[in-house]
Amino acid sequence: MTYPTAVRRAFVLAGLALLSWFDVLVELFAFVLLCVGLVFFLPSAILWARGRSRRTRALAGSWCGVEVPDPYRPAPPEPERERDGWYRDGNQLFKRSWWIRANRRINWVLDDPAVGRELQWQLVNPVAGLVLLVATVLSGPRALRGYGRWTRWWLGHHPARPRDRWLHRHTESLGHQIGILVLGLIHLVLAFVQLLALPFFPALVVASRTVPDTARREIHNWTGVRIPRPYLPPPPLPVPRADGLFQVGKQLNRLCAGRCSGRGSAGSCVTPRPGATSPPRCWCRSFRPCC
């Protein structure tokens, strides 16, 4: 390999390395969507970022002379339909296979040990690319082989060893702290939204509780500290009077056959007492008319 060829390849590898931070931003945005309940975007973002990792492995083999095999676990098998037409996943049965396929795909991506090393590599790879560029200008093709070995250490097969447990434990702890920091920033933005929406859209405040619920779950998984939900239980339905009517404020109502439609929550549909001029209304547990 000539010196101009080595410098040209170092420029390409450095530019490819700088794009790793863009992959981190995409994965961070997908993690934010995960916090609000959209779980399908994070595995897709991680699989999308693998394209750049595979390209770097291929260039490490063809340009740096260091072969780097893929370290990922094999993809999960496709769900099989049983004789009765149902798909089985553990103790649950499903009429269609898309949910089992999606659940296996999520577990396959997020539980792979290579994903953690790849995320760490994406954080430090741009710095290594700039160092490679300077080193190649100074020393020539030898720097490319060093970059190939460095890539193999991060993106190749890397079985756990006793001497690596300390580094792995502290790196994983750092990742958890970054995750808690991201959740805290999301909560800060969400707090302003809740302050503005509380007087007008109380249902939005209740729906946004999925974000702190996600934080409680992940903090328990990462630190072992269980944080109970502090919310008050929903108010009970009104107690009927002796005459069988329900009192809601100054309005007397009676129970009618039916359910609160369009809300998906428990409640009682009530109609005004005989002789009242107001139209029938449906009262849910929040004591607000919902129809």
Side-chain angles (χ1 to χ4, degrees), residues 57-289:
R57 292 189 188 93
L59 293 179
S62 59
W63 287 1
C64 304
V66 179
E67 296 295 332
V68 184
D70 286 347
Y72 308 117
R73 292 176 178 177
E78 288 291 323
E80 296 183 1
R81 186 192 299 266
E82 297 188 347
R83 293 183 177 180
D84 54 1
W86 291 86
Y87 293 91
R88 180 178 179 180
D89 185 24
N91 294 327
Q92 291 184 336
L93 296 176
F94 298 88
K95 194 64 177 179
R96 294 176 177 81
S97 62
W98 70 269
W99 173 253
I100 301 177
R101 188 182 297 107
N103 190 37
R104 290 180 180 178
R105 184 170 178 263
I106 292 173
N107 295 331
W108 167 57
V109 173
L110 299 184
D111 293 343
D112 196 337
V115 173
R117 297 194 302 270
E118 193 168 89
L119 292 175
Q120 299 171 30
W121 171 80
Q122 290 171 355
L123 291 173
V124 300
N125 189 41
V127 180
L130 296 178
V131 173
L132 168 68
L133 184 59
V134 176
T136 305
V137 173
L138 297 177
S139 61
R142 289 182 298 177
L144 288 178
R145 187 164 185 83
Y147 180 77
R149 293 174 180 174
W150 184 85
T151 302
R152 181 176 59 186
W153 189 87
W154 278 105
L155 299 182
H157 289 284
H158 197 268
R161 300 175 182 176
R163 63 183 179 86
D164 295 328
R165 291 177 181 175
W166 182 90
L167 178 61
H168 174 74
R169 184 172 63 252
H170 284 72
T171 305
E172 185 179 17
S173 177
L174 178 61
H176 293 166
Q177 294 176 22
I178 294 175
I180 294 175
L181 176 61
V182 172
L183 288 174
L185 295 176
I186 297 173
H187 293 162
L188 181 62
V189 176
L190 190 60
F192 289 102
V193 177
Q194 290 179 338
L195 288 176
L196 297 176
L198 181 59
F200 309 102
F201 305 101
L204 179 61
V205 178
V206 176
S208 63
R209 289 178 178 176
T210 56
V211 178
D213 287 341
T214 301
R216 294 185 188 96
R217 183 183 66 249
E218 296 303 327
I219 289 175
H220 176 256
N221 294 334
W222 295 341
T223 65
V225 178
R226 184 180 298 275
I227 304 177
R229 300 181 87 239
Y231 311 118
L232 295 175
L237 293 173
V239 179
R241 292 155 40 101
D243 55 3
L245 298 178
F246 292 85
Q247 179 179 356
V248 181
K250 297 182 179 180
Q251 179 72 44
L252 291 178
N253 304 276
R254 64 183 178 187
L255 186 66
C256 71
R259 295 183 56 190
C260 293
S261 60
R263 292 303 178 102
S265 60
S268 297
C269 292
V270 295
T271 57
R273 57 181 174 81
T277 57
S278 58
R281 291 182 295 179
C282 182
W283 297 86
C284 292
R285 291 187 181 273
S286 59
F287 302 108
R288 295 177 179 271

